[in-house]
């Protein structure tokens, strides 16, 4: 039986090709998996080769083998029926035969050659595919929002893979498999727009962020000053300033905002998919006491079964893909004079033009500058001539702001991806610090403004404190 099978296998080309395919792809799968387990980092594309393309070749090979065999058996049966002598014998490999010798040598040269070519192509390909430019631009439309924001962020020089994959083999394979699926989704055009957030299988911050930022670093107080412009004719300026108690671990005592990530403290929570609605919060303090704060109960069937341990990304959910709100962007551009704040109503007009809604970036590139020009031509005709340069520069800056934050092709609009590291754009900190979560003893998570910061100035004109700091 086994002999018959082997004879049928070796006597027909289809099965032989199938066998070669199966053996070659199985060898490559094993080699690539071992290399990756040993810590070699590659992108999702290497995963696509290892876990999708090669297994498909392996399967094709495995299908070809029985197809060839059954064809060969039918041929042999037909030959037997016609009275021919049955040829259930192995092919003879006679090395004295010149033709056999030549073919064998050709076969060996060809195999070596393909292994070398395939190996170096994979090596080169993986290097190219790992680069930020490749991640961000190959699936250009899909990754454009994240790529653009990444290029403007403090992490612009940190490769995508450092946060999304990180070192080590276990998560590597996991992210490879999900990365492969994402590539297929892109190829078939069945990916969701906008790309959903949060990423539930993001590698724990402990193993990514903490490669570069150590949680025990003491930051202390951080002063933040924000200049606001009003939407009146003179674009009236005011200042808001907070002294943020970021804190951290100083000596053995930790305090302030970074107390949450003290390695001796553990906070876990249960929430819905979006992590915007947090139900239960469990706090384990340094001395080991555990407090459970209960919030509103989860709606029927929506509670996540697992506890999520709080880490950096629960506050810094936009370390690399930070999309700002139009008023913040315009205020910053007006401070730097990319938008000249002496232009009347320029804040109001900027806000109107940024929020108008455009079909594409190309349309915004045309409509925003013409819209701004049209406003000054009709309302301030004289200024439109003398300040033509400033108006044109403001128009360009608004286009830059729009195309960095809004991506119509991916349905990313203002506020689609809010930042959790405050409470201005989204509930952020107030998801827990809302005085609604209560322990059995009635303790609440504080919401007093002074818990987190001292508000030095709140939309003040010529505030005293800022005069002292910046005379
Ligand atoms: C400094 C770390 C870091 C870097 C570098 C980084 N990301 Fe991210 N990325 C994140 C975090 C954190 C999230 C949001 C996770 C969450 O909210 O669950 C995210 C989310 C995403 C998402 C989901 C959509 C969204 O905005 O939430 C995509 C897609 C993405 N990143 C692609 C990229 C690409 C492409 C690059 C390289 C150009 C990159 N990332 C570089 C940390 C990073
Ligand atoms: C490969 C190293 C590296 C990794 C990984 C990394 N960061 Fe950073 N991060 C930096 C550097 C360098 C800066 C400082 C940039 C600067 O000073 O402009 C920075 C700055 C920051 C800042 C200050 C941003 C600001 O606006 O000034 C925050 C917050 C931050 N990182 C959070 C994170 C979080 C959260 C993660 C994990 C998701 C992370 N980082 C992963 C290197 C890294
Ligand atoms: C409870 C929320 C919260 C958690 C958790 C948290 N941070 Fe922060 N972090 C903040 C806030 C708020 C600031 C200051 C405001 C800002 O820069 O946006 C800050 C500031 C920072 C800065 C900038 C410090 C500077 O000198 O400018 C870095 C870097 C940073 N965090 C890294 C981390 C890392 C890494 C982790 C995880 C180990 C982490 N943070 C966990 C809220 C948090
Ligand atoms: C997942 C829930 C959760 C989120 C989100 C959260 N916190 Fe907290 N925070 C807590 C809990 C729980 C405590 C402890 C309350 C207690 O001591 O009883 C706490 C305590 C604090 C404290 C007091 C720390 C100390 O010195 O003892 C500060 C400050 C603070 N949080 C700031 C923030 C800021 C700022 C943000 C948003 C950037 C934030 N928290 C987001 C759960 C949260
Ligand atoms: C749980 C911590 C926490 C509590 C409680 C809190 N804040 Fe904040 N607040 C923050 C953080 C974090 C930021 C973000 C600072 C930044 O990075 O711009 C912020 C920002 C602000 C800003 C904007 C500053 C700016 O840059 O424009 C104002 C205004 C403000 N808070 C007012 C308040 C008031 C009023 C209260 C009391 C009802 C309060 N906050 C309670 C954490 C808190």
């Amino acid at each position: 039986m086994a002999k018959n099978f082997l004879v049928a296998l070796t006597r027909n080309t289809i099965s032989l090709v199938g066998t070669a395919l199966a053996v070659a792809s199985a060898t490559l799968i094993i080699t690539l998996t071992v290399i990756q387990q040993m810590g070699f980092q590659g992108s999702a594309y290497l995963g696509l080769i290892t876990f999708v393309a090669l297994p498909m070749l392996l399967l094709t090979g495995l299908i070809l083998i029985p197809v060839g065999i059954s064809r060969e058996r039918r041929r042999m049966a037909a030959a037997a029926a016609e009275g021919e002598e049955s040829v259930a014998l192995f092919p003879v490999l006679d090395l004295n035969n010149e033709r056999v010798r030549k073919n064998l040598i050709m076969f060996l040269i060809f195999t070596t050659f393909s292994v070398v070519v395939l190996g170096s192509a994979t090596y080169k390909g993986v290097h190219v595919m790992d680069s930020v430019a490749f991640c961000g631009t190959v699936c250009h439309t899909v990754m454009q929002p994240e790529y653009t924001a990444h290029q403007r962020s403090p992490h612009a020089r940190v490769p995508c893979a450092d946060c999304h994959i990180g070192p080590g083999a276990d998560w590597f394979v996991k992210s490879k498999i999900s990365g492969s699926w994402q590539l297929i989704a892109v190829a078939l055009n069945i990916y969701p727009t906008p790309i959903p957030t949060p990423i539930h299988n993001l590698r724990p911050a402990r193993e990514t962020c903490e490669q570069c930022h150590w949680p025990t670093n003491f930051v202390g107080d951080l002063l933040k000053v924000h200049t606001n412009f009003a939407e009146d004719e003179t674009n009236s300026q005011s200042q808001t300033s907070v002294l943020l108690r970021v804190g951290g671990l100083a000596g053995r005592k930790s305090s302030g905002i970074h107390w949450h990530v003290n390695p001796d403290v553990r906070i876990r929570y249960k929430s819905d998919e979006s992590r915007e609605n947090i139900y239960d919060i469990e706090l384990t303090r340094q001395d080991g006491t555990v407090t459970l704060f209960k919030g509103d109960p989860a709606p029927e069937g929506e509670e996540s079964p697992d506890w999520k341990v709080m880490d950096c990304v629960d506050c810094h959910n936009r370390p690399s893909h930070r999309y700002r709100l139009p008023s913040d962007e315009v205020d910053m551009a007006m401070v730097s004079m990319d938008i000249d704040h002496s232009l009347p109503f320029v804040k109001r007009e900027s806000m109107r033009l940024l929020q108008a809604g455009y079909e594409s970036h190309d349309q915004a590139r045309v409509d925003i500058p013409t819209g701004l020009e049209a406003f000054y031509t009709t309302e301030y005709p004289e200024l439109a001539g003398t300040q033509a340069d400033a108006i044109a520069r403001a128009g360009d800056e608004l286009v830059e702001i729009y195309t960095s934050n809004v991506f119509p092709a991916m349905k990313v609009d203002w506020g689609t991806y809010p930042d959790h590291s405050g409470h201005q754009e989204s509930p952020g900190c107030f998801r827990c610090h809302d005085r609604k979560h209560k322990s059995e003893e009635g303790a609440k998570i504080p919401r007093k403004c002074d818990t987190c910061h001292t508000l030095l100035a709140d939309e003040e004109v010529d505030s005293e404190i800022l005069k002292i700091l910046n005379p």
Side-chain angles (χ1 to χ4, degrees), residues 291-311:
T291 317
L292 181 69
F293 298 94
K294 282 197 148 312
D296 291 337
E300 199 71 39
E302 266 185 43
E303 189 177 355
S304 66
D306 301 321
W307 288 101
K308 157 90 172 65
V309 176
M310 187 172 180
D311 65 23

Side-chain angles (χ1 to χ4, degrees), residues 224 226 244 421 423-424 429-430 433 447-449 452-453:
K224 290 218 154 182
H226 178 183
L244 275 170
S421 68
H423 50 80
Q424 309 285 105
C429 315
F430 290 174
H433 290 260
R447 199 194 150 136
K448 271 215 328 278
C449 314
C452 307
H453 51 58

Side-chain angles (χ1 to χ4, degrees), residues 221 243-246 255-257 259-260 430 433 435 444-455:
D221 289 351
L243 191 61
L244 275 170
R245 300 182 46 215
V246 181
S255 67
I257 299 171
W259 161 86
H260 302 80
F430 290 174
H433 290 260
R435 295 186 57 76
K444 293 172 186 164
I445 302 173
R447 199 194 150 136
K448 271 215 328 278
C449 314
D450 291 349
T451 315
C452 307
H453 51 58
T454 316
L455 202 53

Side-chain angles (χ1 to χ4, degrees), residues 240-318:
T240 298
S241 177
V242 287
L243 191 61
L244 275 170
R245 300 182 46 215
V246 181
L249 193 65
R252 303 181 113 255
K253 199 174 157 9
S254 71
S255 67
I257 299 171
H258 275 177
W259 161 86
H260 302 80
V261 284
N262 178 337
D264 295 334
V265 171
R266 188 181 69 179
I267 299 176
R268 304 192 297 175
Y269 64 83
K270 289 188 173 179
S271 72
D272 64 357
E273 282 279 300
S274 71
R275 300 197 185 135
E276 294 287 341
N277 300 307
I278 292 184
Y279 309 125
D280 293 350
I281 304 161
E282 182 203 78
L283 163 66
T284 312
R285 291 180 195 276
Q286 270 152 301
D287 60 14
T289 52
V290 181
T291 317
L292 181 69
F293 298 94
K294 282 197 148 312
D296 291 337
E300 199 71 39
E302 266 185 43
E303 189 177 355
S304 66
D306 301 321
W307 288 101
K308 157 90 172 65
V309 176
M310 187 172 180
D311 65 23
C312 319
V313 174
D314 286 301
C315 297
H316 298 289
N317 65 327
R318 305 267 125 219

Side-chain angles (χ1 to χ4, degrees), residues 141-146 185-186 189-197 407-413 416-417:
T141 317
V142 186
M143 289 294 162
Q144 198 193 9
E146 283 76 22
V186 168
N189 212 359
I190 50 171
Y191 52 86
T193 55
I195 298 178
T197 199
F407 300 86
M410 286 303 292
K411 301 203 179 72
V412 174
D413 207 339
T416 299
Y417 293 113

Side-chain angles (χ1 to χ4, degrees), residues 387-404:
Q387 291 279 61
D389 277 355
I391 294 169
R393 203 145 47 86
D396 290 346
E397 180 61 21
L398 289 177
V399 168
E400 174 68 26
I401 292 174
Y402 184 85
T403 53
S404 304

